[in-house]
mmCIF file of all heavy atoms in Angstrom:
data_model
loop_
_atom_site.group_PDB
_atom_site.id
_atom_site.type_symbol
_atom_site.label_atom_id
_atom_site.label_comp_id
_atom_site.label_asym_id
_atom_site.label_seq_id
_atom_site.Cartn_x
_atom_site.Cartn_y
_atom_site.Cartn_z
ATOM 1 N N ALA A 1 0.819 -1.209 0.000
ATOM 2 C CA ALA A 1 0.000 0.000 0.000
ATOM 3 C C ALA A 1 0.854 1.261 0.000
ATOM 4 O O ALA A 1 0.440 2.292 -0.526
ATOM 5 C CB ALA A 1 -0.949 0.003 1.192
ATOM 6 N N LYS A 2 2.036 1.177 0.598
ATOM 7 C CA LYS A 2 2.934 2.317 0.673
ATOM 8 C C LYS A 2 4.046 2.273 -0.370
ATOM 9 O O LYS A 2 4.885 3.176 -0.408
ATOM 10 C CB LYS A 2 3.563 2.409 2.062
ATOM 11 C CG LYS A 2 2.575 2.668 3.183
ATOM 12 C CD LYS A 2 3.285 2.747 4.524
ATOM 13 C CE LYS A 2 2.318 3.031 5.652
ATOM 14 N NZ LYS A 2 3.007 3.103 6.963
ATOM 15 N N ASN A 3 4.066 1.226 -1.196
ATOM 16 C CA ASN A 3 5.147 1.034 -2.166
ATOM 17 C C ASN A 3 6.509 1.153 -1.500
ATOM 18 O O ASN A 3 7.420 1.825 -2.002
ATOM 19 C CB ASN A 3 5.034 2.040 -3.316
ATOM 20 C CG ASN A 3 3.902 1.715 -4.271
ATOM 21 O OD1 ASN A 3 3.482 0.569 -4.392
ATOM 22 N ND2 ASN A 3 3.409 2.734 -4.957
ATOM 23 N N THR A 4 6.644 0.479 -0.390
ATOM 24 C CA THR A 4 7.850 0.573 0.423
ATOM 25 C C THR A 4 8.402 -0.812 0.711
ATOM 26 O O THR A 4 7.642 -1.748 0.986
ATOM 27 C CB THR A 4 7.562 1.299 1.743
ATOM 28 O OG1 THR A 4 7.096 2.627 1.461
ATOM 29 C CG2 THR A 4 8.811 1.389 2.605
ATOM 30 N N VAL A 5 9.718 -0.930 0.648
ATOM 31 C CA VAL A 5 10.403 -2.166 0.991
ATOM 32 C C VAL A 5 11.381 -1.871 2.121
ATOM 33 O O VAL A 5 11.958 -0.777 2.196
ATOM 34 C CB VAL A 5 11.122 -2.775 -0.233
ATOM 35 C CG1 VAL A 5 12.218 -1.850 -0.753
ATOM 36 C CG2 VAL A 5 11.677 -4.155 0.098
ATOM 37 N N TYR A 6 11.553 -2.846 3.005
ATOM 38 C CA TYR A 6 12.413 -2.698 4.165
ATOM 39 C C TYR A 6 13.456 -3.809 4.185
ATOM 40 O O TYR A 6 13.243 -4.898 3.661
ATOM 41 C CB TYR A 6 11.603 -2.772 5.460
ATOM 42 C CG TYR A 6 10.430 -1.825 5.517
ATOM 43 C CD1 TYR A 6 9.162 -2.238 5.113
ATOM 44 C CD2 TYR A 6 10.585 -0.521 5.969
ATOM 45 C CE1 TYR A 6 8.081 -1.374 5.164
ATOM 46 C CE2 TYR A 6 9.513 0.346 6.026
ATOM 47 C CZ TYR A 6 8.261 -0.081 5.621
ATOM 48 O OH TYR A 6 7.191 0.778 5.675
ATOM 49 N N LEU A 7 14.571 -3.526 4.823
ATOM 50 C CA LEU A 7 15.575 -4.541 5.068
ATOM 51 C C LEU A 7 16.032 -4.410 6.512
ATOM 52 O O LEU A 7 16.728 -3.455 6.861
ATOM 53 C CB LEU A 7 16.773 -4.399 4.121
ATOM 54 C CG LEU A 7 17.815 -5.513 4.214
ATOM 55 C CD1 LEU A 7 17.232 -6.843 3.732
ATOM 56 C CD2 LEU A 7 19.069 -5.158 3.405
ATOM 57 N N GLN A 8 15.614 -5.358 7.337
ATOM 58 C CA GLN A 8 16.055 -5.412 8.721
ATOM 59 C C GLN A 8 17.354 -6.196 8.769
ATOM 60 O O GLN A 8 17.392 -7.364 8.375
ATOM 61 C CB GLN A 8 14.997 -6.079 9.601
ATOM 62 C CG GLN A 8 15.399 -6.214 11.062
ATOM 63 C CD GLN A 8 15.513 -4.879 11.758
ATOM 64 O OE1 GLN A 8 14.639 -4.035 11.622
ATOM 65 N NE2 GLN A 8 16.592 -4.686 12.501
ATOM 66 N N MET A 9 18.410 -5.569 9.250
ATOM 67 C CA MET A 9 19.728 -6.174 9.273
ATOM 68 C C MET A 9 20.166 -6.338 10.724
ATOM 69 O O MET A 9 20.378 -5.346 11.428
ATOM 70 C CB MET A 9 20.739 -5.323 8.501
ATOM 71 C CG MET A 9 20.328 -5.055 7.059
ATOM 72 S SD MET A 9 21.596 -4.159 6.124
ATOM 73 C CE MET A 9 21.559 -2.585 6.989
ATOM 74 N N ASN A 10 20.296 -7.576 11.157
ATOM 75 C CA ASN A 10 20.725 -7.894 12.507
ATOM 76 C C ASN A 10 22.077 -8.593 12.473
ATOM 77 O O ASN A 10 22.506 -9.107 11.444
ATOM 78 C CB ASN A 10 19.701 -8.793 13.206
ATOM 79 C CG ASN A 10 18.346 -8.148 13.356
ATOM 80 O OD1 ASN A 10 18.231 -6.939 13.537
ATOM 81 N ND2 ASN A 10 17.294 -8.968 13.298
ATOM 82 N N SER A 11 22.737 -8.626 13.622
ATOM 83 C CA SER A 11 24.038 -9.295 13.754
ATOM 84 C C SER A 11 24.992 -8.865 12.657
ATOM 85 O O SER A 11 25.650 -9.684 12.004
ATOM 86 C CB SER A 11 23.851 -10.823 13.737
ATOM 87 O OG SER A 11 23.002 -11.237 14.786
ATOM 88 N N LEU A 12 25.085 -7.571 12.447
ATOM 89 C CA LEU A 12 25.898 -7.044 11.359
ATOM 90 C C LEU A 12 27.376 -7.360 11.551
ATOM 91 O O LEU A 12 27.884 -7.366 12.670
ATOM 92 C CB LEU A 12 25.689 -5.540 11.228
ATOM 93 C CG LEU A 12 24.377 -5.145 10.548
ATOM 94 C CD1 LEU A 12 24.028 -3.698 10.838
ATOM 95 C CD2 LEU A 12 24.481 -5.372 9.038
ATOM 96 N N LYS A 13 28.035 -7.613 10.440
ATOM 97 C CA LYS A 13 29.453 -7.942 10.410
ATOM 98 C C LYS A 13 30.202 -6.911 9.580
ATOM 99 O O LYS A 13 29.615 -6.274 8.701
ATOM 100 C CB LYS A 13 29.664 -9.331 9.799
ATOM 101 C CG LYS A 13 28.906 -10.449 10.488
ATOM 102 C CD LYS A 13 29.071 -11.760 9.723
ATOM 103 C CE LYS A 13 28.316 -12.885 10.398
ATOM 104 N NZ LYS A 13 28.466 -14.160 9.657
ATOM 105 N N PRO A 14 31.506 -6.742 9.819
ATOM 106 C CA PRO A 14 32.266 -5.793 8.999
ATOM 107 C C PRO A 14 32.152 -6.066 7.499
ATOM 108 O O PRO A 14 32.154 -5.113 6.709
ATOM 109 C CB PRO A 14 33.704 -5.983 9.496
ATOM 110 C CG PRO A 14 33.540 -6.394 10.916
ATOM 111 C CD PRO A 14 32.312 -7.273 10.925
ATOM 112 N N GLU A 15 32.031 -7.315 7.106
ATOM 113 C CA GLU A 15 31.909 -7.632 5.697
ATOM 114 C C GLU A 15 30.579 -7.212 5.085
ATOM 115 O O GLU A 15 30.407 -7.292 3.865
ATOM 116 C CB GLU A 15 32.147 -9.134 5.445
ATOM 117 C CG GLU A 15 31.352 -10.041 6.353
ATOM 118 C CD GLU A 15 32.158 -10.534 7.547
ATOM 119 O OE1 GLU A 15 32.839 -9.714 8.181
ATOM 120 O OE2 GLU A 15 32.110 -11.741 7.839
ATOM 121 N N ASP A 16 29.633 -6.768 5.906
ATOM 122 C CA ASP A 16 28.387 -6.212 5.394
ATOM 123 C C ASP A 16 28.544 -4.760 4.948
ATOM 124 O O ASP A 16 27.614 -4.194 4.365
ATOM 125 C CB ASP A 16 27.282 -6.291 6.450
ATOM 126 C CG ASP A 16 26.899 -7.715 6.804
ATOM 127 O OD1 ASP A 16 26.791 -8.557 5.884
ATOM 128 O OD2 ASP A 16 26.691 -7.989 8.005
ATOM 129 N N THR A 17 29.687 -4.166 5.238
ATOM 130 C CA THR A 17 29.927 -2.780 4.858
ATOM 131 C C THR A 17 29.845 -2.620 3.348
ATOM 132 O O THR A 17 30.542 -3.307 2.598
ATOM 133 C CB THR A 17 31.296 -2.314 5.360
ATOM 134 O OG1 THR A 17 31.304 -2.320 6.793
ATOM 135 C CG2 THR A 17 31.605 -0.908 4.868
ATOM 136 N N ALA A 18 28.988 -1.721 2.897
ATOM 137 C CA ALA A 18 28.766 -1.513 1.470
ATOM 138 C C ALA A 18 27.770 -0.378 1.288
ATOM 139 O O ALA A 18 27.152 0.087 2.249
ATOM 140 C CB ALA A 18 28.224 -2.783 0.807
ATOM 141 N N VAL A 19 27.624 0.040 0.048
ATOM 142 C CA VAL A 19 26.512 0.902 -0.316
ATOM 143 C C VAL A 19 25.351 0.001 -0.696
ATOM 144 O O VAL A 19 25.497 -0.890 -1.536
ATOM 145 C CB VAL A 19 26.858 1.841 -1.481
ATOM 146 C CG1 VAL A 19 25.647 2.679 -1.874
ATOM 147 C CG2 VAL A 19 28.023 2.745 -1.103
ATOM 148 N N TYR A 20 24.218 0.219 -0.073
ATOM 149 C CA TYR A 20 23.037 -0.595 -0.316
ATOM 150 C C TYR A 20 22.072 0.158 -1.222
ATOM 151 O O TYR A 20 21.728 1.310 -0.962
ATOM 152 C CB TYR A 20 22.354 -0.953 1.009
ATOM 153 C CG TYR A 20 23.083 -2.030 1.770
ATOM 154 C CD1 TYR A 20 24.314 -1.781 2.356
ATOM 155 C CD2 TYR A 20 22.543 -3.313 1.891
ATOM 156 C CE1 TYR A 20 25.001 -2.770 3.030
ATOM 157 C CE2 TYR A 20 23.221 -4.307 2.572
ATOM 158 C CZ TYR A 20 24.445 -4.035 3.143
ATOM 159 O OH TYR A 20 25.120 -5.025 3.822
ATOM 160 N N TYR A 21 21.641 -0.511 -2.285
ATOM 161 C CA TYR A 21 20.772 0.084 -3.286
ATOM 162 C C TYR A 21 19.417 -0.604 -3.302
ATOM 163 O O TYR A 21 19.332 -1.826 -3.404
ATOM 164 C CB TYR A 21 21.384 -0.032 -4.685
ATOM 165 C CG TYR A 21 22.698 0.688 -4.859
ATOM 166 C CD1 TYR A 21 23.902 0.049 -4.617
ATOM 167 C CD2 TYR A 21 22.723 2.014 -5.294
ATOM 168 C CE1 TYR A 21 25.104 0.702 -4.787
ATOM 169 C CE2 TYR A 21 23.920 2.675 -5.465
ATOM 170 C CZ TYR A 21 25.107 2.020 -5.213
ATOM 171 O OH TYR A 21 26.297 2.674 -5.391
ATOM 172 N N CYS A 22 18.382 0.183 -3.240
ATOM 173 C CA CYS A 22 17.024 -0.312 -3.388
ATOM 174 C C CYS A 22 16.696 -0.447 -4.866
ATOM 175 O O CYS A 22 17.152 0.354 -5.689
ATOM 176 C CB CYS A 22 16.052 0.660 -2.724
ATOM 177 S SG CYS A 22 14.304 0.282 -2.964
ATOM 178 N N ASN A 23 15.915 -1.451 -5.220
ATOM 179 C CA ASN A 23 15.439 -1.554 -6.586
ATOM 180 C C ASN A 23 13.998 -2.038 -6.613
ATOM 181 O O ASN A 23 13.523 -2.682 -5.686
ATOM 182 C CB ASN A 23 16.334 -2.470 -7.434
ATOM 183 C CG ASN A 23 16.178 -3.936 -7.096
ATOM 184 O OD1 ASN A 23 16.773 -4.433 -6.147
ATOM 185 N ND2 ASN A 23 15.374 -4.645 -7.885
ATOM 186 N N ALA A 24 13.328 -1.711 -7.701
ATOM 187 C CA ALA A 24 11.946 -2.115 -7.886
ATOM 188 C C ALA A 24 11.708 -2.400 -9.354
ATOM 189 O O ALA A 24 12.315 -1.774 -10.224
ATOM 190 C CB ALA A 24 10.983 -1.033 -7.400
ATOM 191 N N VAL A 25 10.835 -3.351 -9.616
ATOM 192 C CA VAL A 25 10.452 -3.697 -10.981
ATOM 193 C C VAL A 25 8.997 -3.316 -11.169
ATOM 194 O O VAL A 25 8.130 -3.791 -10.429
ATOM 195 C CB VAL A 25 10.650 -5.188 -11.271
ATOM 196 C CG1 VAL A 25 10.237 -5.505 -12.704
ATOM 197 C CG2 VAL A 25 12.091 -5.595 -11.030
#
């Protein structure tokens, strides 16, 4: 309904370091 996507990230590690990009089709 809100055209929104979420990403809950837990137990983060240094290797998760990055630029995160949202995408939609």
Side-chain angles (χ1 to χ4, degrees):
K2 296 180 179 180
N3 286 335
T4 300
V5 63
Y6 307 93
L7 186 67
Q8 178 67 46
M9 304 185 293
N10 298 326
S11 301
L12 283 162
K13 304 174 180 180
E15 49 262 46
D16 295 318
T17 296
V19 177
Y20 284 70
Y21 298 90
C22 174
N23 73 278
V25 180

